[in-house]
Amino acid sequence: MTSFDSSPTPVTVRAFLALTVVFLMLATTGWTAVRHQGGPRDIYEAELSGWGKARIGARALPGTDSSPKKLTAFFASLRGAERARLADEYPYVVGNLNGAPVALRYRANRKGLARALEIERKRVATADLTADGRRMATRRMNRFESLMDPERQILAFDPSGPGKVAEVFGDLNRAERVSVVVPGVDTNLLTFQRTARKYAAPVGMAKSLYAAERAASPRARTAVIAWADYTTPAGLGVDSAIGRLAESGAVRLTALTEALPGPSRVALFCHSYGSVVCGVAARQLPERVTDIAVAGSPGMRAENAAALHTRARVWAMRDSDDWIQDVPHLAVGGLGHGEDPVAPEFGARVMSAADAVGHTGYFEPGTESITNFAEIGVGSFDGVTCASADDTCRSGIYGEEAV
């Protein structure tokens, strides 16, 4: 799939290359990060412009950068027909508003997907495309068709550039506990799900976690979100070594957690570069986020768990075969992501990752890693297996938090 998802070889070469990249960046002035090449945004930008001018009766519509609380109040003040009209006229806007009702976002994103699919169909049929361009357009068309399945619950959808998307498994409105899977590099619309090695992609990760949570606590009302709603780094380039994309992703992640319906408790499960996003977001997350669990982490941009400034419990795991252990855990001049979260001095609750092979195996069904994630997701901490032979990682969790 990607540089982070495959296993570079040999170990000595990986470490040498990682160090070389760091030192080259330190020695170079005036460099700029390689960025994703964005696709056409005409429709989305037209919607944003129209939204800014539209009114409901005498009222102007709230800004798309309004707080989730303000957006929730706005939609609650509308009649059903008014909400539906906004979703149908501005599907890309409404479908991505943290604070809009969940069912309305599902409706809007189906409309947005239909529009995006029609555009790709026309491109494939009429555009003068190169072989690679036609192959890419066809892949996007197939992805949109898959996402439009009536059984799917698409919480966010943006086809611009490499694309962003989020999907819900379970009943988000009724859930008492919500788990959010935050993936790492090279995650976009086309890599959101896959047939081969499906548990290395966000949809497979979330499905596996949802099934494990239901097995761990059949009566618990849970939901899991496959959250690929931020721009991720492209491979092991400059963007993966700095925090720029993590910072923008953290803003979006915080808004999501603030906007989730009801009083549900939230746990974040952050893989690879996703753990950088979670680390940056930690101090801003609402109190409803009770647990942050990272796997295969290059660091959380903090010297230790206390430096995250969060009341959430911080958990960490790493498989013994995960190549990420060979990446230098350092932070120099904005480069690198800091201390290793599984290091004793970091102070996280270190869990077992037994049976999770390599960097992408943490969500594989039947592994101790996914079982541990599920126990955290449903709040059953007695079932968590620590990396050490004792129960140190579960210490200090009492009362209702332990059930």
Side-chain angles (χ1 to χ4, degrees):
M1 175 164 121
T2 67
S3 300
F4 262 43
D5 293 307
S6 56
S7 297
T9 57
V11 170
T12 53
V13 173
R14 298 199 298 268
F16 174 79
L17 289 177
L19 285 169
T20 300
V21 168
V22 170
F23 287 122
L24 280 176
M25 289 189 293
L26 284 172
T28 304
T29 58
W31 58 268
T32 56
V34 176
R35 302 181 182 183
H36 291 296
Q37 299 301 309
R41 292 182 54 88
D42 294 349
I43 295 179
Y44 203 165
E45 290 178 354
E47 278 198 16
L48 288 170
S49 177
W51 178 272
K53 300 172 185 176
R55 307 183 78 82
I56 290 287
R59 288 190 296 165
L61 304 184
T64 55
D65 59 350
S66 299
S67 69
K69 184 177 181 180
K70 181 176 180 179
L71 291 169
T72 298
F74 167 74
F75 281 101
S77 72
L78 301 180
R79 296 189 298 272
E82 292 172 327
R83 289 193 291 268
R85 179 168 68 83
L86 288 177
D88 291 342
E89 291 185 6
Y90 306 101
Y92 292 132
V93 175
V94 175
N96 291 287
L97 283 180
N98 286 307
V102 169
L104 192 68
R105 292 180 68 174
Y106 295 161
R107 173 182 177 140
N109 286 319
R110 282 189 58 79
K111 186 81 171 184
L113 278 160
R115 289 186 180 180
L117 177 58
E118 184 61 25
I119 290 172
E120 294 301 330
R121 281 176 173 164
K122 288 180 178 178
R123 289 187 67 218
V124 171
T126 64
D128 185 15
L129 301 174
T130 64
D132 285 343
R134 186 171 300 279
R135 189 179 305 111
M136 181 65 71
T138 301
R139 288 184 66 196
R140 284 171 63 87
M141 186 174 67
N142 293 338
R143 172 64 70 242
F144 299 156
E145 288 176 337
S146 173
L147 291 172
M148 286 185 67
D149 186 303
E151 298 299 315
R152 302 187 74 164
Q153 303 177 127
I154 306 303
L155 188 66
F157 170 68
D158 178 0
S160 304
K164 305 181 187 74
V165 62
E167 182 173 6
V168 175
F169 299 91
D171 189 337
L172 195 55
N173 282 316
R174 297 183 66 250
E176 296 174 331
R177 292 186 177 271
V178 176
S179 298
V180 183
V181 175
V182 184
V185 304
D186 288 319
T187 301
N188 53 51
L189 272 170
L190 296 182
T191 59
F192 185 56
Q193 66 184 87
R194 49 175 49 219
T195 302
R197 296 194 304 118
K198 62 182 179 180
Y199 300 112
V203 169
M205 292 176 176
K207 281 186 174 180
S208 178
L209 179 57
Y210 184 53
E213 288 183 354
R214 289 171 64 84
S217 183
R219 292 189 175 184
R221 298 209 302 265
T222 63
V224 178
I225 302 174
W227 190 78
D229 194 26
Y230 80 105
T231 300
T232 68
L236 288 175
V238 172
D239 274 337
S240 67
I242 61 177
R244 180 178 65 88
L245 294 179
E247 289 166 4
S248 59
V251 173
R252 300 177 70 86
L253 180 60
T254 301
L256 169 78
T257 56
E258 290 175 345
L260 292 173
S264 57
R265 296 182 183 181
V266 180
L268 306 181
F269 298 92
C270 321
H271 177 246
S272 195
Y273 189 85
S275 66
V276 185
V277 177
C278 292
V280 175
R283 70 179 61 210
Q284 302 296 332
L285 294 170
E287 290 188 6
R288 71 190 308 178
V289 179
T290 58
D291 296 272
I292 302 173
V294 303
S297 175
M300 301 180 73
R301 298 193 77 80
E303 293 182 2
N304 50 52
L308 294 172
H309 300 289
T310 178
R311 295 179 62 181
R313 289 174 288 268
V314 180
W315 306 79
M317 67 168 65
R318 186 175 66 218
D319 179 65
S320 59
D321 293 328
D322 190 337
W323 62 264
I324 202 76
Q325 64 190 308
D326 299 316
V327 173
H329 285 86
L330 49 78
V332 182
L335 301 172
H337 304 305
E339 184 59 81
D340 184 349
V342 301
E345 53 268 30
F346 187 82
R349 298 170 181 268
V350 182
M351 303 171 286
S352 170
D355 305 318
V357 178
H359 187 61
T360 60
Y362 296 99
F363 290 84
E364 288 279 347
T367 58
E368 204 159 79
S369 51
I370 194 64
T371 299
N372 279 334
F373 282 165
E375 299 289 1
I376 292 169
V378 300
S380 182
F381 301 103
D382 283 345
V384 174
T385 303
C386 301
S388 58
D390 53 30
D391 63 353
T392 303
C393 74
R394 302 191 306 270
S395 64
I397 305 176
Y398 305 109
E400 63 177 0
E401 290 294 314
V403 300

